[in-house]
Amino acid sequence: MITALGGGVGAAKFLSGLIKLNLNEKINIIVNTADDITVGGLRISPDIDTIIYTLSGNVNTDRKWGLEGDTFNCLAALSRFGIYGWFNLGDKDLATHLYRTHLRSLGYTYTQITSKIAKSYGLDDLNILPMSDTDVETWISTNKGEMHFQEYLVKEKMLPEVKSVYIKGIENAKASEQVIDSILSANTIILCPSNPIISIGPILKVAGVRDAIKKSKAKKIAISPLVGGVPLKGPADKLMRAEGLEVSSTQVAKLYQDFIDEMIIDIKDKSEAKRIEKLGIKTTILDTVMKNEADSINLAQKILKT
Amino acid sequence: MITALGGGVGAAKFLSGLIKLNLNEKINIIVNTADDITVGGLRISPDIDTIIYTLSGNVNTDRKWGLEGDTFNCLAALSRFGIYGWFNLGDKDLATHLYRTHLRSLGYTYTQITSKIAKSYGLDDLNILPMSDTDVETWISTNKGEMHFQEYLVKEKMLPEVKSVYIKGIENAKASEQVIDSILSANTIILCPSNPIISIGPILKVAGVRDAIKKSKAKKIAISPLVGGVPLKGPADKLMRAEGLEVSSTQVAKLYQDFIDEMIIDIKDKSEAKRIEKLGIKTTILDTVMKNEADSINLAQKILKT
């Protein structure tokens, strides 16, 4: 059994390779839900949706998020009211948010809801788990004020200066039984190449998760999301800096130092290998840039062989 | 000042004629909200939206509801999840529901929300008022079980046998100050050709409305929604029958007998004029079928001249 932890696009790309290996092992994916947001009463889980859309082959391959062939007529109509114009809200994508919100109003947990959505997208064999059934939201304090992470990312295009990051509600978030089981029963635990502050970070902060990973007898591997010292996408560098951290794969390794056995870093960061090895972590240098599915498959295969 | 009470399509058609008369009088429209429904967390007000879309010239002219040029991609995507496939949910229309739900979550009343939506649609001069700021929902008891009125209307296409109609929450619904003011200050009060059971009925049941109408010194005119003894659209006949009422313009007049001065009936129902006159209500026979805007203008003009 393989259990992966991850956030959005980086994780989705890696996992799309992993599942194509057709291993005879169950795959669990614990997904960050800290960048979830409520828009006009609809609960939106961007990372969950990106994973489901990507792994089911429905993601828009240019944008890497949202659905292929989607339209944005609702979003355009929202401009009349001057709200949410900045948000990425596809018309077909909206159906997922309506379904999630509908099930939630009936009392289903996020774990149950995610399972239902994944099954509706034909992902019967995968066990996609939200990190928690509790509402958690990432907020960013910037020179332009406090804002939800989605607002910082999408509306403000990561331009404001980040002062600090805080995960609202994380102190109340508990891990579900399924999350803990998937960690304790795994042979291999993989931290996908996702943002260590706002994707992997929140998962590890959910009560019970970090302890379960430490307790698990699995081999624990982390893939650095940095390539040449910078993230391929997203604000990992800005957020690490705001947290007073060095922006490097060595620093990423330090964040997981208490539990990982192995760190995967990109060939562009090979000079860091020695520093990471000094932390007592086996370090493997690979080409971690996934430009297409073949790259993803190749990377997953190599990581499982190390 | 003219104050009209109405529901959906019939009212919208009549009012589109009334506003084109460009009278030097303020027009208030008190709209039924008893057929409102919550779909996937979104609060939908079909009658309010039909009135706003029609009067702003944005309604789909074939269907008479929803927006011109709308798409239904979200609705199609919902079929994957097996929910709400029956509902009329246009992509552009969804923006209105998102806006309403968003404002509601911020604490705005339906009165304030409706005013904002109407203004966003350029209807600055009209005073469109929801009948109440309280949630009210019409439910229908049928041989296929209990269902929301929208489910009966749209999903079940009015086919189940209606046993009874009940307006959930109507006992708690109060009229807003604006509704009462618009009634007390009116020179003319017009009951649009709307369903007496589920459109005009709920408005009259909102605490304070019927008393205010009785107290108002306005001339009070009701337009029968029946033509040749049947409704042009919708289930008025079925619901009247379920309530043990005769399906006739005379019966409609009886429902308003305690306050109306005049009843407008269609030429096809002219034989009923004498029965209605016997109730002490002046009765005017007009062609009430509005096939186009010219018909609507003509009808409005004649009614104001009677």
Side-chain angles (χ1 to χ4, degrees), chain B residues 148-206:
Chain B
H148 189 286
F149 172 69
Q150 293 298 333
E151 198 173 345
Y152 165 74
L153 182 76
V154 184
K155 185 178 183 186
E156 301 293 342
K157 300 183 196 323
M158 309 188 288
L159 293 175
E161 189 194 320
V162 179
K163 291 178 181 172
S164 62
V165 181
Y166 57 105
I167 320 283
K168 271 192 193 173
I170 193 72
E171 61 283 2
N172 302 318
K174 277 179 208 157
S176 66
E177 216 173 295
Q178 292 95 319
V179 161
I180 298 298
D181 280 354
S182 77
I183 293 170
L184 294 178
S185 313
N187 306 318
T188 310
I189 293 174
I190 301 174
L191 273 56
C192 295
S194 297
N195 190 314
I197 307 298
I198 49 132
S199 296
I200 303 290
I203 304 177
L204 295 176
K205 280 185 185 146
V206 171

Side-chain angles (χ1 to χ4, degrees), chain A:
Chain A
M1 188 186 271
I2 298 174
T3 296
L5 283 65
V9 175
K13 280 163 110 178
F14 171 72
L15 293 166
S16 67
L18 182 69
I19 64 169
K20 284 282 158 60
L21 296 179
N22 292 316
L23 303 166
N24 265 334
E25 289 189 87
K26 189 168 176 60
I27 297 175
N28 308 294
I29 307 168
I30 303 171
V31 185
N32 170 47
T33 54
D35 59 357
D36 287 13
I37 187 169
T38 298
V39 170
L42 297 178
R43 190 67 178 171
I44 301 181
S45 298
D47 283 357
I48 295 268
D49 292 349
T50 294
I51 298 273
I52 291 175
Y53 295 166
T54 303
L55 300 187
S56 66
N58 288 285
V59 79
N60 179 297
T61 45
D62 293 329
R63 290 193 302 260
K64 316 285 185 206
W65 53 260
L67 288 161
E68 191 65 52
D70 209 350
T71 50
F72 291 82
N73 295 329
C74 177
L75 192 67
L78 278 168
S79 66
R80 181 189 291 275
F81 305 119
I83 58 159
Y84 302 127
W86 55 273
F87 201 71
N88 296 321
L89 213 52
D91 297 323
K92 298 201 298 180
D93 191 22
L94 262 169
T96 308
H97 315 323
L98 278 165
Y99 185 52
R100 173 177 291 115
T101 309
H102 168 76
L103 289 176
R104 211 170 162 230
S105 75
L106 297 178
Y108 286 86
T109 64
Y110 285 130
T111 302
Q112 294 167 325
I113 293 168
T114 303
S115 167
K116 278 175 173 286
I117 296 173
K119 281 196 174 68
S120 298
Y121 271 92
L123 299 173
D124 298 271
D125 298 336
L126 286 174
N127 190 24
I128 301 177
L129 297 166
M131 66 182 202
S132 172
D133 286 321
T134 314
D135 278 348
V136 173
E137 286 195 356
T138 299
W139 282 68
I140 311 279
S141 173
T142 77
N143 63 337
K144 287 190 71 178
E146 315 251 298
M147 57 187 79
H148 189 286
F149 172 69
Q150 293 298 332
E151 198 173 346
Y152 165 74
L153 182 76
V154 183
K155 185 179 181 183
E156 301 294 341
K157 300 184 196 323
M158 308 189 290
L159 294 175
E161 189 194 319
V162 179
K163 293 177 179 172
S164 62
V165 181
Y166 56 104
I167 320 281
K168 271 191 194 175
I170 193 72
E171 62 283 1
N172 302 318
K174 278 179 207 158
S176 66
E177 216 173 294
Q178 292 94 320
V179 162
I180 298 298
D181 281 355
S182 76
I183 293 170
L184 294 178
S185 314
N187 306 318
T188 310
I189 292 173
I190 302 174
L191 273 56
C192 295
S194 296
N195 190 313
I197 308 297
I198 48 132
S199 296
I200 302 291
I203 304 177
L204 295 175
K205 279 185 184 144
V206 171
V209 169
R210 199 172 196 117
D211 285 346
I213 295 177
K214 286 186 188 177
K215 203 186 287 178
S216 172
K217 300 208 167 78
K219 179 174 181 185
K220 297 149 197 171
I221 308 168
I223 310 165
S224 174
L226 303 178
V227 173
V230 291
L232 284 177
K233 193 176 190 292
D237 50 346
K238 294 180 175 73
L239 303 183
M240 289 180 80
R241 220 169 278 131
E243 295 287 286
L245 302 174
E246 178 191 282
V247 183
S248 71
S249 288
T250 306
Q251 179 60 68
V252 175
K254 279 182 185 167
L255 294 172
Y256 311 141
Q257 191 178 354
D258 55 325
F259 62 82
I260 54 167
D261 300 305
E262 183 174 354
M263 188 79 193
I264 310 292
I265 63 170
D266 189 74
I267 39 172
K268 287 195 182 147
D269 299 304
K270 61 182 174 189
S271 62
E272 291 197 56
K274 276 188 187 163
R275 285 172 74 198
I276 302 173
E277 294 270 6
K278 272 188 191 159
L279 301 171
I281 301 164
K282 177 186 169 190
T283 305
T284 303
I285 300 162
L286 292 172
D287 182 356
T288 66
V289 180
M290 296 167 279
K291 290 181 294 296
N292 51 47
E293 196 179 80
D295 290 348
S296 299
I297 293 172
N298 193 32
L299 180 63
Q301 204 155 31
K302 283 185 175 155
I303 286 174
L304 289 181
K305 275 186 188 161
T306 60

Side-chain angles (χ1 to χ4, degrees), chain B residues 1 26 34 63 75 106 117 161 166 220 226 229 241 251 266:
Chain B
M1 187 185 270
K26 189 167 176 60
R63 289 193 302 260
L75 192 67
L106 298 178
I117 297 174
E161 189 194 320
Y166 57 105
K220 297 148 197 173
L226 302 178
R241 220 168 278 131
Q251 178 61 68
D266 190 72

Side-chain angles (χ1 to χ4, degrees), chain B residues 21-137:
Chain B
L21 297 179
N22 292 316
L23 303 166
N24 265 333
E25 289 189 87
K26 189 167 176 60
I27 297 175
N28 308 293
I29 306 168
I30 303 172
V31 185
N32 171 48
T33 55
D35 60 355
D36 288 13
I37 187 169
T38 298
V39 169
L42 298 179
R43 190 66 179 171
I44 301 179
S45 299
D47 282 356
I48 295 269
D49 292 349
T50 295
I51 298 272
I52 290 176
Y53 295 167
T54 303
L55 299 188
S56 66
N58 288 284
V59 79
N60 179 297
T61 45
D62 292 330
R63 289 193 302 260
K64 315 285 185 208
W65 53 260
L67 288 161
E68 191 64 53
D70 209 351
T71 50
F72 291 83
N73 295 328
C74 177
L75 192 67
L78 278 169
S79 66
R80 182 189 290 277
F81 305 118
I83 57 158
Y84 302 127
W86 56 272
F87 201 70
N88 297 321
L89 214 52
D91 297 323
K92 298 202 298 180
D93 191 23
L94 263 167
T96 308
H97 314 323
L98 278 163
Y99 185 52
R100 173 177 292 114
T101 308
H102 168 75
L103 289 177
R104 212 172 162 228
S105 75
L106 298 178
Y108 286 86
T109 64
Y110 285 129
T111 303
Q112 293 167 325
I113 293 168
T114 303
S115 167
K116 279 176 173 286
I117 297 174
K119 280 195 176 68
S120 299
Y121 270 93
L123 299 173
D124 298 88
D125 297 336
L126 285 175
N127 190 25
I128 301 177
L129 297 166
M131 65 182 203
S132 172
D133 287 322
T134 314
D135 278 349
V136 173
E137 287 195 355

